[in-house]
Amino acid sequence: MKKLIEEYFEQNRELMIRDIMRLVRIKSDKEEAKEGKPYGDGPAEVLAVALEMASEMGFKTRNYDNYVGAIDFDDQKNKLDILAHLDVVPGGDGWSVTEPFNPVVKDGRLYGRGTIDDKGPAVAALYAMKAVKDLNIPLKAGVRLILGTDEECGSSDIRYYYGIEEEAPMTFSPDASFPVVNIEKGGLQGKFESRFEESTETPRIVSFKAGIKSNVIPGEAAAVVEGIDPEEIRDCCDAVT
Ligand SMILES: [Zn+2]
């Protein structure tokens, strides 16, 4: 059986990559809500395309008001939920191999925003269901793939879904690289502030800025510093390097 499954994925590899790229091309970071589209156009579009992909494979699908989509393996009651998501963080700057929403395969790797988080794993889970179906592997219970569209901004999509549906007794979430991630860093989204007496004494930091979103590690940072002799900075940098 293992050999059959491996062969199946060898044969379907290109199709799977094609489908991941199809989703990566859709810019699906959160936008302002519109009527019937709680996270804007991009997340609704990527969800529609993914559900169409699944129904072309012969699965029943349901769109929960553009919050999440569900794909059922068959008519049995689901005992396993697979949670993946199709929204992404913003494209950001500094890409070298390609632009964020123009996926390419280079040197055996797929580049583009969301390839690993989480469009790639979402499509892999869908193909896993397709493999079980095409290879006629019998299942004793139902499996449901749930595709969210607000994971990166607080998971209000999943709260909406579980307000309507029951949780299955088993759940896993393919949301990063293979095989299993059993721990993730915590997130503290706080606001820190302090007040100082106004002063124009130098040297001083006038402003600083970094990052595009609170759950994205900043790629660059910039500060405006006043009252430092450029020579001193050079000496300091030399000392560091
Ligand atoms: Zn993710």
Side-chain angles (χ1 to χ4, degrees):
M1 182 58 79
K2 189 169 178 248
K3 198 164 174 281
L4 266 182
I5 295 171
E6 281 170 358
E7 276 170 14
Y8 182 89
F9 277 96
E10 216 31 70
Q11 284 158 10
N12 285 276
R13 191 188 159 87
E14 292 307 316
L15 285 178
M16 202 165 108
I17 293 169
R18 182 203 64 186
D19 283 344
I20 297 170
M21 289 170 91
R22 212 170 133 195
L23 299 186
V24 173
R25 264 182 221 111
I26 303 167
K27 180 180 171 300
S28 58
D29 52 320
K30 189 176 191 171
E31 289 163 23
E32 228 165 89
K34 285 184 171 180
E35 208 189 326
K37 295 177 182 176
Y39 314 120
D41 287 329
E45 189 192 340
V46 76
L47 183 61
V49 172
L51 292 182
E52 192 187 299
M53 216 178 256
S55 65
E56 276 165 18
M57 291 175 179
F59 295 120
K60 259 192 218 155
T61 67
R62 179 173 163 190
N63 186 334
Y64 289 78
D65 307 315
N66 283 325
Y67 283 84
V68 312
I71 299 160
D72 285 312
F73 181 78
D74 58 18
D75 291 330
Q76 298 186 85
K77 189 168 167 50
N78 52 318
K79 280 206 172 163
L80 174 67
D81 282 345
I82 305 171
L83 288 183
H85 68 92
L86 300 174
D87 58 308
V88 291
V89 294
D93 298 322
W95 289 73
S96 53
V97 175
T98 185
E99 289 301 310
F101 303 107
N102 181 24
V104 294
V105 177
K106 194 181 168 196
D107 301 329
R109 288 185 174 163
L110 179 55
Y111 292 86
R113 173 61 87 224
T115 48
I116 203 162
D117 183 9
D118 189 34
K119 291 172 177 173
V123 171
L126 180 60
Y127 271 78
M129 286 168 69
K130 187 174 187 299
V132 173
K133 181 177 153 76
D134 291 350
L135 296 172
N136 292 314
I137 302 168
L139 294 188
K140 290 187 201 131
V143 174
R144 169 169 271 205
L145 173 59
I146 299 162
L147 299 173
T149 56
D150 187 39
E151 195 270 351
E152 301 292 0
C153 298
S155 296
S156 61
D157 52 345
I158 289 301
R159 270 195 296 280
Y160 183 84
Y161 173 79
Y162 285 122
I164 301 168
E165 301 288 359
E166 253 176 58
E167 247 179 83
M170 290 179 290
T171 301
F172 82 98
S173 185
D175 190 358
S177 52
F178 184 81
V180 169
V181 177
N182 64 1
I183 197 160
E184 286 205 356
K185 67 183 188 300
L188 173 63
Q189 301 195 8
K191 191 178 166 193
F192 303 92
E193 63 172 57
S194 182
R195 295 192 180 276
F196 302 94
E197 255 185 52
E198 200 176 325
S199 158
T200 49
E201 209 177 300
T202 56
R204 62 176 189 145
I205 294 171
V206 179
S207 66
F208 70 88
K209 207 177 166 184
I212 48 172
K213 220 164 180 295
S214 62
N215 59 344
V216 180
I217 294 168
E220 47 189 57
V224 177
V225 183
E226 201 175 61
I228 289 186
D229 178 0
E231 284 297 320
E232 259 176 59
I233 298 178
R234 217 164 293 139
D235 291 350
C236 161
C237 291
D238 286 347
V240 173
T241 53

